[in-house]
Amino acid sequence: MIGMLRGTLAHKQPPQIIVDCNGVGYEIETPMSTFLDLPPLGKDVSLFTHLLVREDAQVLYGFATEDEKLLFRTLLKVSGVGAKMALSILSAMSVGDFARCVQLEDTAMLVKIPGVGKKTAERLIIEMRDKLAKAAEGLPQINKPNAVSDARTEAFDALASLGYKPAEIKRLLAKMDTDGMTSEDIIRQALRQTVGQGA
């Protein structure tokens, strides 16, 4: 198994690139998240890779981070999700954003990804919830993608523990601009919304 490649970027035409490793050119397919961060041609590049062996071909996929590679591998284990769809998901959102969609059961965001319909989005949420939990040790950014997502996730969990249903929590959070807010601030504002509705 080829787990990582380091060499010179010899060609790039989305989604495919060629990395020259001591005279051997490796054709690699990448998600747009990785492609857009590539250096100019002729510069050194290092990628985490996954080799997919099919009956008709061997395809090498490359990722800028190990988190992207691990999420790609995890997505391939979901029924009905192939490499093309996994690349589309990684091209459309970060690892942290995908995890947030799963945690918040945000099918509306997932169906915006090309090739992902409502049923596939629902299946991704159901199957990836457990898979992400099992892969949490290998995917540190999934649980902590950034401070804002952290605060939203903590607030979501806290509200759920108070007895709010996921759909109700999503509706409350959707009305709020949580940039720069702590989880306590988000919870306070969400509770204020519900109190106001009941008044």
PDB file of all heavy atoms in Angstrom, residues 157-192:
ATOM      1  N   ASP A 157     -25.034  19.566  22.202  1.00  0.00           N
ATOM      2  CA  ASP A 157     -25.048  18.463  23.174  1.00  0.00           C
ATOM      3  C   ASP A 157     -25.739  18.878  24.471  1.00  0.00           C
ATOM      4  O   ASP A 157     -26.503  18.108  25.063  1.00  0.00           O
ATOM      5  CB  ASP A 157     -23.618  18.004  23.479  1.00  0.00           C
ATOM      6  CG  ASP A 157     -22.964  17.325  22.275  1.00  0.00           C
ATOM      7  OD1 ASP A 157     -23.709  16.901  21.368  1.00  0.00           O
ATOM      8  OD2 ASP A 157     -21.729  17.222  22.260  1.00  0.00           O
ATOM      9  N   ALA A 158     -25.460  20.103  24.894  1.00  0.00           N
ATOM     10  CA  ALA A 158     -26.054  20.580  26.144  1.00  0.00           C
ATOM     11  C   ALA A 158     -27.568  20.696  26.017  1.00  0.00           C
ATOM     12  O   ALA A 158     -28.318  20.283  26.914  1.00  0.00           O
ATOM     13  CB  ALA A 158     -25.447  21.925  26.523  1.00  0.00           C
ATOM     14  N   LEU A 159     -28.022  21.247  24.900  1.00  0.00           N
ATOM     15  CA  LEU A 159     -29.464  21.398  24.688  1.00  0.00           C
ATOM     16  C   LEU A 159     -30.151  20.035  24.557  1.00  0.00           C
ATOM     17  O   LEU A 159     -31.269  19.841  25.033  1.00  0.00           O
ATOM     18  CB  LEU A 159     -29.731  22.253  23.440  1.00  0.00           C
ATOM     19  CG  LEU A 159     -29.366  23.739  23.577  1.00  0.00           C
ATOM     20  CD1 LEU A 159     -29.376  24.420  22.213  1.00  0.00           C
ATOM     21  CD2 LEU A 159     -30.319  24.444  24.539  1.00  0.00           C
ATOM     22  N   ALA A 160     -29.441  19.093  23.922  1.00  0.00           N
ATOM     23  CA  ALA A 160     -29.992  17.736  23.793  1.00  0.00           C
ATOM     24  C   ALA A 160     -30.140  17.101  25.170  1.00  0.00           C
ATOM     25  O   ALA A 160     -31.123  16.396  25.440  1.00  0.00           O
ATOM     26  CB  ALA A 160     -29.084  16.883  22.904  1.00  0.00           C
ATOM     27  N   SER A 161     -29.156  17.348  26.040  1.00  0.00           N
ATOM     28  CA  SER A 161     -29.226  16.781  27.392  1.00  0.00           C
ATOM     29  C   SER A 161     -30.368  17.392  28.199  1.00  0.00           C
ATOM     30  O   SER A 161     -30.840  16.813  29.175  1.00  0.00           O
ATOM     31  CB  SER A 161     -27.899  16.986  28.125  1.00  0.00           C
ATOM     32  OG  SER A 161     -27.710  18.350  28.454  1.00  0.00           O
ATOM     33  N   LEU A 162     -30.814  18.578  27.783  1.00  0.00           N
ATOM     34  CA  LEU A 162     -31.936  19.238  28.450  1.00  0.00           C
ATOM     35  C   LEU A 162     -33.290  18.730  27.942  1.00  0.00           C
ATOM     36  O   LEU A 162     -34.339  19.147  28.418  1.00  0.00           O
ATOM     37  CB  LEU A 162     -31.861  20.759  28.240  1.00  0.00           C
ATOM     38  CG  LEU A 162     -30.703  21.482  28.940  1.00  0.00           C
ATOM     39  CD1 LEU A 162     -30.670  22.941  28.527  1.00  0.00           C
ATOM     40  CD2 LEU A 162     -30.830  21.354  30.452  1.00  0.00           C
ATOM     41  N   GLY A 163     -33.232  17.848  26.931  1.00  0.00           N
ATOM     42  CA  GLY A 163     -34.466  17.254  26.428  1.00  0.00           C
ATOM     43  C   GLY A 163     -34.960  17.799  25.107  1.00  0.00           C
ATOM     44  O   GLY A 163     -35.992  17.369  24.595  1.00  0.00           O
ATOM     45  N   TYR A 164     -34.214  18.744  24.523  1.00  0.00           N
ATOM     46  CA  TYR A 164     -34.618  19.272  23.222  1.00  0.00           C
ATOM     47  C   TYR A 164     -34.351  18.230  22.140  1.00  0.00           C
ATOM     48  O   TYR A 164     -33.335  17.535  22.160  1.00  0.00           O
ATOM     49  CB  TYR A 164     -33.853  20.558  22.896  1.00  0.00           C
ATOM     50  CG  TYR A 164     -34.286  21.752  23.706  1.00  0.00           C
ATOM     51  CD1 TYR A 164     -33.709  22.015  24.942  1.00  0.00           C
ATOM     52  CD2 TYR A 164     -35.285  22.612  23.239  1.00  0.00           C
ATOM     53  CE1 TYR A 164     -34.110  23.105  25.710  1.00  0.00           C
ATOM     54  CE2 TYR A 164     -35.688  23.703  23.990  1.00  0.00           C
ATOM     55  CZ  TYR A 164     -35.098  23.941  25.231  1.00  0.00           C
ATOM     56  OH  TYR A 164     -35.504  25.012  25.982  1.00  0.00           O
ATOM     57  N   LYS A 165     -35.242  18.139  21.163  1.00  0.00           N
ATOM     58  CA  LYS A 165     -35.067  17.200  20.056  1.00  0.00           C
ATOM     59  C   LYS A 165     -34.081  17.805  19.045  1.00  0.00           C
ATOM     60  O   LYS A 165     -34.011  19.036  18.901  1.00  0.00           O
ATOM     61  CB  LYS A 165     -36.409  16.927  19.368  1.00  0.00           C
ATOM     62  CG  LYS A 165     -37.394  16.184  20.263  1.00  0.00           C
ATOM     63  CD  LYS A 165     -38.559  15.736  19.434  1.00  0.00           C
ATOM     64  CE  LYS A 165     -39.610  14.955  20.167  1.00  0.00           C
ATOM     65  NZ  LYS A 165     -39.352  14.397  21.414  1.00  0.00           N
ATOM     66  N   PRO A 166     -33.305  16.957  18.316  1.00  0.00           N
ATOM     67  CA  PRO A 166     -32.322  17.450  17.340  1.00  0.00           C
ATOM     68  C   PRO A 166     -32.903  18.449  16.344  1.00  0.00           C
ATOM     69  O   PRO A 166     -32.284  19.465  16.038  1.00  0.00           O
ATOM     70  CB  PRO A 166     -31.862  16.164  16.639  1.00  0.00           C
ATOM     71  CG  PRO A 166     -32.005  15.112  17.685  1.00  0.00           C
ATOM     72  CD  PRO A 166     -33.251  15.492  18.440  1.00  0.00           C
ATOM     73  N   ALA A 167     -34.116  18.168  15.850  1.00  0.00           N
ATOM     74  CA  ALA A 167     -34.732  19.068  14.864  1.00  0.00           C
ATOM     75  C   ALA A 167     -34.986  20.449  15.466  1.00  0.00           C
ATOM     76  O   ALA A 167     -34.797  21.470  14.811  1.00  0.00           O
ATOM     77  CB  ALA A 167     -36.041  18.467  14.351  1.00  0.00           C
ATOM     78  N   GLU A 168     -35.421  20.467  16.734  1.00  0.00           N
ATOM     79  CA  GLU A 168     -35.692  21.743  17.406  1.00  0.00           C
ATOM     80  C   GLU A 168     -34.396  22.512  17.644  1.00  0.00           C
ATOM     81  O   GLU A 168     -34.326  23.732  17.456  1.00  0.00           O
ATOM     82  CB  GLU A 168     -36.395  21.467  18.747  1.00  0.00           C
ATOM     83  CG  GLU A 168     -36.601  22.704  19.618  1.00  0.00           C
ATOM     84  CD  GLU A 168     -37.600  23.692  19.039  1.00  0.00           C
ATOM     85  OE1 GLU A 168     -38.220  23.383  18.004  1.00  0.00           O
ATOM     86  OE2 GLU A 168     -37.764  24.777  19.634  1.00  0.00           O
ATOM     87  N   ILE A 169     -33.336  21.788  18.025  1.00  0.00           N
ATOM     88  CA  ILE A 169     -32.038  22.435  18.258  1.00  0.00           C
ATOM     89  C   ILE A 169     -31.508  23.026  16.959  1.00  0.00           C
ATOM     90  O   ILE A 169     -31.018  24.166  16.929  1.00  0.00           O
ATOM     91  CB  ILE A 169     -31.018  21.433  18.844  1.00  0.00           C
ATOM     92  CG1 ILE A 169     -31.518  20.891  20.177  1.00  0.00           C
ATOM     93  CG2 ILE A 169     -29.661  22.112  19.039  1.00  0.00           C
ATOM     94  CD1 ILE A 169     -30.686  19.755  20.737  1.00  0.00           C
ATOM     95  N   LYS A 170     -31.618  22.275  15.883  1.00  0.00           N
ATOM     96  CA  LYS A 170     -31.150  22.771  14.577  1.00  0.00           C
ATOM     97  C   LYS A 170     -31.906  24.029  14.184  1.00  0.00           C
ATOM     98  O   LYS A 170     -31.317  24.977  13.656  1.00  0.00           O
ATOM     99  CB  LYS A 170     -31.342  21.687  13.493  1.00  0.00           C
ATOM    100  CG  LYS A 170     -30.329  20.558  13.568  1.00  0.00           C
ATOM    101  CD  LYS A 170     -30.404  19.662  12.352  1.00  0.00           C
ATOM    102  CE  LYS A 170     -31.695  18.914  12.301  1.00  0.00           C
ATOM    103  NZ  LYS A 170     -31.778  18.019  11.129  1.00  0.00           N
ATOM    104  N   ARG A 171     -33.208  24.042  14.444  1.00  0.00           N
ATOM    105  CA  ARG A 171     -34.022  25.204  14.091  1.00  0.00           C
ATOM    106  C   ARG A 171     -33.578  26.425  14.902  1.00  0.00           C
ATOM    107  O   ARG A 171     -33.470  27.539  14.370  1.00  0.00           O
ATOM    108  CB  ARG A 171     -35.504  24.893  14.352  1.00  0.00           C
ATOM    109  CG  ARG A 171     -36.453  25.964  13.867  1.00  0.00           C
ATOM    110  CD  ARG A 171     -37.887  25.588  14.184  1.00  0.00           C
ATOM    111  NE  ARG A 171     -38.120  25.522  15.611  1.00  0.00           N
ATOM    112  CZ  ARG A 171     -38.237  26.594  16.403  1.00  0.00           C
ATOM    113  NH1 ARG A 171     -38.130  27.800  15.890  1.00  0.00           N
ATOM    114  NH2 ARG A 171     -38.457  26.454  17.688  1.00  0.00           N
ATOM    115  N   LEU A 172     -33.302  26.226  16.180  1.00  0.00           N
ATOM    116  CA  LEU A 172     -32.854  27.320  17.039  1.00  0.00           C
ATOM    117  C   LEU A 172     -31.493  27.853  16.601  1.00  0.00           C
ATOM    118  O   LEU A 172     -31.279  29.060  16.496  1.00  0.00           O
ATOM    119  CB  LEU A 172     -32.783  26.856  18.500  1.00  0.00           C
ATOM    120  CG  LEU A 172     -34.115  26.557  19.190  1.00  0.00           C
ATOM    121  CD1 LEU A 172     -33.864  25.882  20.535  1.00  0.00           C
ATOM    122  CD2 LEU A 172     -34.912  27.833  19.371  1.00  0.00           C
ATOM    123  N   LEU A 173     -30.566  26.936  16.320  1.00  0.00           N
ATOM    124  CA  LEU A 173     -29.209  27.348  15.934  1.00  0.00           C
ATOM    125  C   LEU A 173     -29.200  28.032  14.573  1.00  0.00           C
ATOM    126  O   LEU A 173     -28.383  28.911  14.314  1.00  0.00           O
ATOM    127  CB  LEU A 173     -28.269  26.145  15.927  1.00  0.00           C
ATOM    128  CG  LEU A 173     -27.995  25.479  17.278  1.00  0.00           C
ATOM    129  CD1 LEU A 173     -27.017  24.330  17.125  1.00  0.00           C
ATOM    130  CD2 LEU A 173     -27.461  26.482  18.283  1.00  0.00           C
ATOM    131  N   ALA A 174     -30.108  27.605  13.687  1.00  0.00           N
ATOM    132  CA  ALA A 174     -30.163  28.187  12.342  1.00  0.00           C
ATOM    133  C   ALA A 174     -30.513  29.667  12.378  1.00  0.00           C
ATOM    134  O   ALA A 174     -30.155  30.431  11.475  1.00  0.00           O
ATOM    135  CB  ALA A 174     -31.168  27.433  11.479  1.00  0.00           C
ATOM    136  N   LYS A 175     -31.210  30.099  13.421  1.00  0.00           N
ATOM    137  CA  LYS A 175     -31.620  31.499  13.541  1.00  0.00           C
ATOM    138  C   LYS A 175     -30.517  32.380  14.123  1.00  0.00           C
ATOM    139  O   LYS A 175     -30.667  33.593  14.204  1.00  0.00           O
ATOM    140  CB  LYS A 175     -32.852  31.612  14.451  1.00  0.00           C
ATOM    141  CG  LYS A 175     -34.097  30.932  13.900  1.00  0.00           C
ATOM    142  CD  LYS A 175     -35.227  31.100  14.906  1.00  0.00           C
ATOM    143  CE  LYS A 175     -36.512  30.461  14.395  1.00  0.00           C
ATOM    144  NZ  LYS A 175     -37.610  30.594  15.388  1.00  0.00           N
ATOM    145  N   MET A 176     -29.419  31.760  14.560  1.00  0.00           N
ATOM    146  CA  MET A 176     -28.403  32.501  15.293  1.00  0.00           C
ATOM    147  C   MET A 176     -27.102  32.659  14.511  1.00  0.00           C
ATOM    148  O   MET A 176     -26.689  31.756  13.800  1.00  0.00           O
ATOM    149  CB  MET A 176     -28.090  31.780  16.618  1.00  0.00           C
ATOM    150  CG  MET A 176     -29.294  31.650  17.528  1.00  0.00           C
ATOM    151  SD  MET A 176     -29.071  30.409  18.832  1.00  0.00           S
ATOM    152  CE  MET A 176     -27.563  30.965  19.580  1.00  0.00           C
ATOM    153  N   ASP A 177     -26.494  33.822  14.657  1.00  0.00           N
ATOM    154  CA  ASP A 177     -25.153  34.051  14.126  1.00  0.00           C
ATOM    155  C   ASP A 177     -24.191  33.768  15.278  1.00  0.00           C
ATOM    156  O   ASP A 177     -24.031  34.585  16.184  1.00  0.00           O
ATOM    157  CB  ASP A 177     -24.999  35.499  13.645  1.00  0.00           C
ATOM    158  CG  ASP A 177     -23.600  35.785  13.118  1.00  0.00           C
ATOM    159  OD1 ASP A 177     -22.786  34.839  13.041  1.00  0.00           O
ATOM    160  OD2 ASP A 177     -23.314  36.947  12.792  1.00  0.00           O
ATOM    161  N   THR A 178     -23.560  32.581  15.255  1.00  0.00           N
ATOM    162  CA  THR A 178     -22.772  32.142  16.407  1.00  0.00           C
ATOM    163  C   THR A 178     -21.292  32.485  16.316  1.00  0.00           C
ATOM    164  O   THR A 178     -20.509  32.063  17.164  1.00  0.00           O
ATOM    165  CB  THR A 178     -22.917  30.618  16.591  1.00  0.00           C
ATOM    166  OG1 THR A 178     -22.520  29.962  15.372  1.00  0.00           O
ATOM    167  CG2 THR A 178     -24.357  30.236  16.905  1.00  0.00           C
ATOM    168  N   ASP A 179     -20.896  33.238  15.298  1.00  0.00           N
ATOM    169  CA  ASP A 179     -19.486  33.620  15.171  1.00  0.00           C
ATOM    170  C   ASP A 179     -19.032  34.372  16.419  1.00  0.00           C
ATOM    171  O   ASP A 179     -19.648  35.370  16.816  1.00  0.00           O
ATOM    172  CB  ASP A 179     -19.273  34.511  13.939  1.00  0.00           C
ATOM    173  CG  ASP A 179     -19.323  33.714  12.649  1.00  0.00           C
ATOM    174  OD1 ASP A 179     -19.335  32.473  12.747  1.00  0.00           O
ATOM    175  OD2 ASP A 179     -19.377  34.328  11.575  1.00  0.00           O
ATOM    176  N   GLY A 180     -17.952  33.900  17.016  1.00  0.00           N
ATOM    177  CA  GLY A 180     -17.383  34.571  18.174  1.00  0.00           C
ATOM    178  C   GLY A 180     -18.103  34.275  19.484  1.00  0.00           C
ATOM    179  O   GLY A 180     -17.706  34.762  20.535  1.00  0.00           O
ATOM    180  N   MET A 181     -19.154  33.473  19.431  1.00  0.00           N
ATOM    181  CA  MET A 181     -19.905  33.160  20.649  1.00  0.00           C
ATOM    182  C   MET A 181     -19.363  31.913  21.324  1.00  0.00           C
ATOM    183  O   MET A 181     -18.904  30.985  20.663  1.00  0.00           O
ATOM    184  CB  MET A 181     -21.393  32.949  20.318  1.00  0.00           C
ATOM    185  CG  MET A 181     -22.102  34.195  19.841  1.00  0.00           C
ATOM    186  SD  MET A 181     -23.824  33.864  19.331  1.00  0.00           S
ATOM    187  CE  MET A 181     -24.567  33.384  20.888  1.00  0.00           C
ATOM    188  N   THR A 182     -19.411  31.886  22.641  1.00  0.00           N
ATOM    189  CA  THR A 182     -19.040  30.690  23.384  1.00  0.00           C
ATOM    190  C   THR A 182     -20.244  29.764  23.421  1.00  0.00           C
ATOM    191  O   THR A 182     -21.374  30.176  23.102  1.00  0.00           O
ATOM    192  CB  THR A 182     -18.628  31.032  24.826  1.00  0.00           C
ATOM    193  OG1 THR A 182     -19.779  31.565  25.516  1.00  0.00           O
ATOM    194  CG2 THR A 182     -17.497  32.057  24.851  1.00  0.00           C
ATOM    195  N   SER A 183     -20.021  28.518  23.822  1.00  0.00           N
ATOM    196  CA  SER A 183     -21.140  27.579  23.910  1.00  0.00           C
ATOM    197  C   SER A 183     -22.182  28.072  24.919  1.00  0.00           C
ATOM    198  O   SER A 183     -23.389  27.926  24.703  1.00  0.00           O
ATOM    199  CB  SER A 183     -20.634  26.192  24.313  1.00  0.00           C
ATOM    200  OG  SER A 183     -19.917  26.242  25.532  1.00  0.00           O
ATOM    201  N   GLU A 184     -21.694  28.719  26.008  1.00  0.00           N
ATOM    202  CA  GLU A 184     -22.623  29.247  27.018  1.00  0.00           C
ATOM    203  C   GLU A 184     -23.509  30.341  26.421  1.00  0.00           C
ATOM    204  O   GLU A 184     -24.716  30.396  26.688  1.00  0.00           O
ATOM    205  CB  GLU A 184     -21.845  29.804  28.221  1.00  0.00           C
ATOM    206  CG  GLU A 184     -21.155  28.745  29.073  1.00  0.00           C
ATOM    207  CD  GLU A 184     -19.826  28.306  28.488  1.00  0.00           C
ATOM    208  OE1 GLU A 184     -19.391  28.884  27.461  1.00  0.00           O
ATOM    209  OE2 GLU A 184     -19.220  27.368  29.046  1.00  0.00           O
ATOM    210  N   ASP A 185     -22.900  31.212  25.602  1.00  0.00           N
ATOM    211  CA  ASP A 185     -23.663  32.278  24.960  1.00  0.00           C
ATOM    212  C   ASP A 185     -24.733  31.697  24.037  1.00  0.00           C
ATOM    213  O   ASP A 185     -25.873  32.182  23.990  1.00  0.00           O
ATOM    214  CB  ASP A 185     -22.743  33.194  24.135  1.00  0.00           C
ATOM    215  CG  ASP A 185     -21.810  34.019  25.006  1.00  0.00           C
ATOM    216  OD1 ASP A 185     -22.157  34.257  26.184  1.00  0.00           O
ATOM    217  OD2 ASP A 185     -20.732  34.407  24.515  1.00  0.00           O
ATOM    218  N   ILE A 186     -24.346  30.661  23.275  1.00  0.00           N
ATOM    219  CA  ILE A 186     -25.281  30.039  22.333  1.00  0.00           C
ATOM    220  C   ILE A 186     -26.449  29.404  23.086  1.00  0.00           C
ATOM    221  O   ILE A 186     -27.614  29.564  22.707  1.00  0.00           O
ATOM    222  CB  ILE A 186     -24.556  28.976  21.473  1.00  0.00           C
ATOM    223  CG1 ILE A 186     -23.469  29.637  20.622  1.00  0.00           C
ATOM    224  CG2 ILE A 186     -25.559  28.238  20.581  1.00  0.00           C
ATOM    225  CD1 ILE A 186     -22.581  28.658  19.882  1.00  0.00           C
ATOM    226  N   ILE A 187     -26.128  28.687  24.162  1.00  0.00           N
ATOM    227  CA  ILE A 187     -27.173  28.033  24.958  1.00  0.00           C
ATOM    228  C   ILE A 187     -28.117  29.080  25.542  1.00  0.00           C
ATOM    229  O   ILE A 187     -29.341  28.939  25.482  1.00  0.00           O
ATOM    230  CB  ILE A 187     -26.541  27.206  26.106  1.00  0.00           C
ATOM    231  CG1 ILE A 187     -25.738  26.031  25.523  1.00  0.00           C
ATOM    232  CG2 ILE A 187     -27.627  26.675  27.044  1.00  0.00           C
ATOM    233  CD1 ILE A 187     -24.832  25.360  26.518  1.00  0.00           C
ATOM    234  N   ARG A 188     -27.540  30.151  26.081  1.00  0.00           N
ATOM    235  CA  ARG A 188     -28.338  31.215  26.697  1.00  0.00           C
ATOM    236  C   ARG A 188     -29.304  31.825  25.676  1.00  0.00           C
ATOM    237  O   ARG A 188     -30.491  32.047  25.953  1.00  0.00           O
ATOM    238  CB  ARG A 188     -27.396  32.288  27.260  1.00  0.00           C
ATOM    239  CG  ARG A 188     -28.093  33.286  28.190  1.00  0.00           C
ATOM    240  CD  ARG A 188     -27.096  34.265  28.800  1.00  0.00           C
ATOM    241  NE  ARG A 188     -26.136  33.589  29.651  1.00  0.00           N
ATOM    242  CZ  ARG A 188     -24.823  33.492  29.392  1.00  0.00           C
ATOM    243  NH1 ARG A 188     -24.324  34.036  28.292  1.00  0.00           N
ATOM    244  NH2 ARG A 188     -24.022  32.865  30.216  1.00  0.00           N
ATOM    245  N   GLN A 189     -28.775  32.090  24.463  1.00  0.00           N
ATOM    246  CA  GLN A 189     -29.619  32.716  23.437  1.00  0.00           C
ATOM    247  C   GLN A 189     -30.696  31.749  22.943  1.00  0.00           C
ATOM    248  O   GLN A 189     -31.834  32.147  22.685  1.00  0.00           O
ATOM    249  CB  GLN A 189     -28.759  33.186  22.258  1.00  0.00           C
ATOM    250  CG  GLN A 189     -29.539  34.022  21.240  1.00  0.00           C
ATOM    251  CD  GLN A 189     -28.628  34.722  20.263  1.00  0.00           C
ATOM    252  OE1 GLN A 189     -27.535  35.155  20.614  1.00  0.00           O
ATOM    253  NE2 GLN A 189     -29.048  34.819  19.016  1.00  0.00           N
ATOM    254  N   ALA A 190     -30.339  30.475  22.831  1.00  0.00           N
ATOM    255  CA  ALA A 190     -31.311  29.473  22.387  1.00  0.00           C
ATOM    256  C   ALA A 190     -32.444  29.346  23.410  1.00  0.00           C
ATOM    257  O   ALA A 190     -33.625  29.280  23.047  1.00  0.00           O
ATOM    258  CB  ALA A 190     -30.616  28.127  22.194  1.00  0.00           C
ATOM    259  N   LEU A 191     -32.073  29.331  24.690  1.00  0.00           N
ATOM    260  CA  LEU A 191     -33.080  29.226  25.734  1.00  0.00           C
ATOM    261  C   LEU A 191     -33.968  30.476  25.758  1.00  0.00           C
ATOM    262  O   LEU A 191     -35.162  30.397  25.995  1.00  0.00           O
ATOM    263  CB  LEU A 191     -32.403  29.029  27.092  1.00  0.00           C
ATOM    264  CG  LEU A 191     -31.686  27.696  27.287  1.00  0.00           C
ATOM    265  CD1 LEU A 191     -30.955  27.670  28.617  1.00  0.00           C
ATOM    266  CD2 LEU A 191     -32.670  26.522  27.192  1.00  0.00           C
ATOM    267  N   ARG A 192     -33.348  31.611  25.492  1.00  0.00           N
ATOM    268  CA  ARG A 192     -34.101  32.863  25.447  1.00  0.00           C
ATOM    269  C   ARG A 192     -35.150  32.804  24.336  1.00  0.00           C
ATOM    270  O   ARG A 192     -36.263  33.303  24.468  1.00  0.00           O
ATOM    271  CB  ARG A 192     -33.139  34.034  25.244  1.00  0.00           C
ATOM    272  CG  ARG A 192     -33.779  35.388  25.559  1.00  0.00           C
ATOM    273  CD  ARG A 192     -32.748  36.512  25.447  1.00  0.00           C
ATOM    274  NE  ARG A 192     -31.699  36.391  26.425  1.00  0.00           N
ATOM    275  CZ  ARG A 192     -30.385  36.442  26.165  1.00  0.00           C
ATOM    276  NH1 ARG A 192     -29.979  36.603  24.916  1.00  0.00           N
ATOM    277  NH2 ARG A 192     -29.495  36.346  27.130  1.00  0.00           N
TER     278      ARG A 192
END
